[in-house]
Amino acid sequence: MVRNHSILVVDDEPSVCFLLKEELSEQKKFDVFTANDGVAAMNTLQQRPIDVVLLDVKMPRVGGMEVLKFINEHHPTTQVIMLSNYADVKTAIEATKLGAYDFVGKPYTRDELLSTVNRAIQHRRLTIDVELMKYELSRKEGEKEIIAQSPAMRIMLATASKVASSDSIIHIHGASGTGKELIANLIHNDSPRHERPFVVVNCASLPDALLESELFGHERGAFTNAHQMKQGLVEVANGGSLFLDEVGDISPIVQPKLLRFLETGEFRRVGGTTSMQVDVRIISATNKDLNAEVKAGRFREDLLYRLNVVTLRIPPLKDRKEDIPLLVEYFIKKKIKTKESKRISPDAMRSLLAYDWPGNIRELEHSIEGAMLLSHEDVITSKDFILTQSTVEQSIPLTTGANSSVLTMEEVEKLHIEMALIKFKYSRSKTAKALGITLKTLYSKIKRYKIPAEKE
Ligand SMILES: Nc1ncnc2c1ncn2[C@@H]1O[C@H](COP(=O)(O)OP(=O)(O)OP(=O)(O)O)[C@@H](O)[C@H]1O
Ligand SMILES: [Mg+2]
């Protein structure tokens, strides 16, 4: 299932509106609205974001060209397709020069109409992606695989995919570098909104006034330097998901505005007079303890309750060391695109398993990258991890004492079997042979340690 696109048909002939609405609605992927004149069209556009407008050139009072100018100025991401009779084809062509996406001559065929509308939707999507990429608000590049096999992560991921398909607000809590943004992205991609934008706003990186206008947009002249109208990110994300990163850092000034938006789905551009309604799914994340922030008077309690309808907690890497071998292999493969791969020595793996990773997975990824550059052979040894080495040595009590950072013999055996299984692509017979144990012993250990049958 995919989120519907919104289309507005504007024509002074009710029969044309009716017909177009019928034809487009058949597709089931469009929500179609109609307006019989330019003024009604502008009113509709002020109330809800519209993806594509089918616009008659000739209408009494406010004509198509005026509406086009209005759309260009106030709703720049909305795509306009002019509808023209034979007589006003020239004007329609003129309109495309002024920013209309294309035109369809009347009479049109159904296929012609649908293909133009679909291309316009595609074009809108690309325009938005380019805009967002400019601001690094949408980061789609690279692979988005989530590597996890630890029970804690599996439970968390199962919950994430269960809630992904709904529209519920989700809060993600986890220390820096644990993969909060990755999970937010996964939720979006697993939802019916996956074809619409995933917009990321880092609430900590913007000053108050700027954050408000980034989120909700502003009208021209709303404040000094507001020379042009700007659409808010909530508008751009319409139909998709908005990821409020570092939500714990939103200032007390913006908090009530965000709360109102979460409660009603309505917002006003800064300096604007009309409320607009959008359909956006909110995912938020922080590494702060929001309950403590509430107690300290820095975060509104009612906003916290709105945000944490469903809370996903991502454990730090030190509490799920079972994930390390898989992550290491994944990052090595990700870096080397050729066939031959580098291996990591057992000695180096031991160091990685002993270290506590305060920077979590991001730190692990960077360490692997660095070590790969330093290693000369096709084997990465512990010496190649210069940055972490001193810390690792400190963190391994070599002689005495029970310490949570030291793995038990059973944990080490389990990890060793897992690594061998990965190496031999889960072939039980090859793995058993390499480990020097019988197939029967391997099976009983897999069962005992509850090792997953295969990497997901
Ligand atoms: N389970 C995982 N599998 C593969 N890669 C991961 C995993 N978790 C995190 N990463 C990678 O680690 C890096 C950090 O992840 P991400 O940016 O999502 O963390 P974060 O919790 O948002 O961090 P911060 O709080 O610093 O913003 C990214 O490059 C991400 O792709
Ligand atoms: Mg992040």
Side-chain angles (χ1 to χ4, degrees):
M1 206 180 72
V2 173
R3 210 77 189 167
N4 279 357
H5 286 92
S6 52
I7 302 196
L8 174 64
V9 179
V10 190
D11 202 303
D12 57 329
E13 272 181 58
S15 61
V16 174
C17 285
F18 178 80
L19 206 70
L20 279 163
K21 183 170 177 164
E22 286 281 293
E23 282 176 332
L24 291 166
S25 301
E26 259 175 38
Q27 296 296 304
K28 304 254 183 301
K29 57 176 185 177
F30 303 131
D31 291 331
V32 188
F33 305 90
T34 57
N36 285 130
D37 61 52
V39 178
M42 291 194 240
N43 281 337
T44 306
L45 283 155
Q46 292 288 65
Q47 284 153 16
R48 56 166 59 80
I50 297 286
D51 297 319
V52 176
V53 178
L54 290 165
L55 184 60
D56 189 19
V57 171
K58 235 191 203 128
M59 290 183 293
R61 293 204 297 155
V62 181
M65 294 305 267
E66 274 78 44
V67 179
L68 174 64
K69 276 185 210 142
F70 173 84
I71 294 173
N72 280 346
E73 190 172 329
H74 296 275
H75 306 277
T77 49
T78 301
Q79 302 296 310
V80 179
I81 298 169
M82 305 302 288
L83 297 167
S84 71
N85 288 319
Y86 179 72
D88 37 49
V89 161
K90 239 176 138 180
T91 324
I93 295 173
E94 199 57 36
T96 58
K97 286 185 194 145
L98 293 175
Y101 171 70
D102 204 347
F103 69 93
V104 171
K106 292 190 240 179
Y108 55 85
T109 66
R110 206 172 138 273
D111 286 352
E112 193 188 343
L113 173 77
L114 288 177
S115 96
T116 314
V117 169
N118 284 323
R119 275 191 291 110
I121 285 171
Q122 195 64 22
H123 186 252
R124 178 176 185 274
R125 168 98 217 219
L126 291 175
T127 323
I128 287 178
D129 283 352
V130 169
E131 275 302 302
L132 291 176
M133 264 182 239
K134 262 198 248 161
Y135 295 99
E136 267 200 288
L137 294 167
S138 165
R139 284 159 258 179
K140 294 197 188 65
E141 87 290 350
E143 290 153 57
K144 289 286 173 214
E145 214 176 319
I146 296 181
I147 308 296
Q149 64 162 358
S150 55
M153 280 300 278
R154 284 173 165 263
I155 293 169
M156 195 277 297
L157 287 173
T159 317
S161 58
K162 219 185 274 168
V163 292
S165 57
S166 72
D167 267 344
S168 58
I169 296 180
I170 296 180
H171 181 64
I172 303 172
H173 187 267
S176 181
T178 46
K180 297 186 290 294
E181 188 166 337
L182 198 64
I183 302 292
N185 212 303
L186 164 94
I187 293 168
H188 173 76
N189 288 337
D190 265 6
S191 79
R193 298 170 178 268
H194 66 274
E195 288 194 359
R196 309 302 297 269
F198 174 71
V199 177
V200 183
V201 189
N202 189 323
C203 304
S205 67
L206 298 164
D208 301 352
L210 212 57
L211 177 61
E212 186 183 350
S213 84
E214 279 293 315
L215 280 176
F216 304 122
H218 61 75
E219 293 295 344
R220 188 162 58 183
F223 45 82
T224 341
N225 293 334
H227 300 305
Q228 262 182 344
M229 184 290 305
K230 188 167 185 293
Q231 279 185 307
L233 291 171
V234 294
E235 244 174 287
V236 174
N238 186 40
S241 313
L242 183 69
F243 177 45
L244 299 172
D245 204 1
E246 319 278 4
V247 76
D249 292 281
I250 288 197
S251 81
I253 296 167
V254 186
Q255 286 178 26
K257 293 175 181 166
L258 177 63
L259 179 66
R260 180 169 164 254
F261 174 64
L262 296 182
E263 281 171 343
T264 60
E266 277 183 14
F267 70 98
R268 237 175 240 197
R269 287 181 186 157
V270 178
T273 46
T274 45
S275 288
M276 283 181 102
Q277 183 93 34
V278 283
D279 163 31
V280 167
R281 200 252 186 101
I282 301 286
I283 307 171
S284 68
T286 186
N287 53 16
K288 286 193 171 170
D289 175 354
L290 287 187
N291 285 310
E293 292 297 300
V294 168
K295 279 206 186 99
R298 287 189 292 264
F299 204 82
R300 289 178 70 121
E301 194 171 19
D302 43 9
L303 181 57
L304 172 62
Y305 290 140
R306 272 277 155 195
L307 287 173
N308 71 0
V309 178
V310 177
T311 298
L312 299 174
R313 292 183 192 285
I314 312 187
L317 191 53
K318 72 173 164 52
D319 292 346
R320 48 174 165 123
K321 289 192 168 171
E322 310 94 295
D323 288 339
I324 292 177
L326 282 183
L327 283 163
V328 169
E329 203 208 359
Y330 171 70
F331 290 135
I332 292 178
K333 275 219 184 100
K334 201 169 138 187
K335 204 77 201 141
I336 301 181
K337 300 258 148 54
T338 54
K339 245 187 173 174
E340 348 31 283
S341 179
K342 288 210 181 205
R343 272 187 315 112
I344 185 150
S345 73
D347 175 42
M349 181 57 87
R350 225 171 291 129
S351 311
L352 300 185
L353 288 169
Y355 183 53
D356 269 351
W357 301 105
N360 293 292
I361 298 171
R362 183 177 293 114
E363 186 183 0
L364 175 66
E365 184 171 8
H366 291 165
S367 302
I368 302 279
E369 267 183 47
M372 282 172 72
L373 288 176
L374 288 176
S375 66
H376 300 296
E377 321 275 321
D378 60 354
V379 180
I380 307 173
T381 66
S382 56
K383 284 192 201 72
D384 299 321
F385 289 93
I386 41 166
L387 289 176
T388 54
Q389 197 58 30
S390 57
T391 338
V392 172
E393 273 157 12
Q394 282 163 22
S395 78
I396 314 175
L398 288 172
T399 45
T400 52
N403 184 305
S404 63
S405 69
V406 172
L407 298 178
T408 63
M409 291 307 284
E410 287 202 336
E411 283 169 327
V412 171
E413 188 178 50
K414 181 184 174 205
L415 285 169
H416 192 60
I417 294 171
E418 282 175 352
M419 278 170 61
L421 280 166
I422 293 161
K423 183 157 182 221
F424 295 103
K425 307 217 162 26
Y426 292 87
S427 154
R428 306 288 195 271
S429 52
K430 283 185 192 160
T431 307
K433 201 170 160 208
L435 292 174
I437 54 175
T438 64
L439 200 56
K440 201 171 154 220
T441 311
L442 178 65
Y443 272 109
S444 76
K445 285 185 191 291
I446 287 177
K447 198 169 159 207
R448 180 158 137 231
Y449 293 133
K450 297 194 180 72
I451 295 174
E454 209 149 303
K455 192 169 83 176
E456 281 182 347

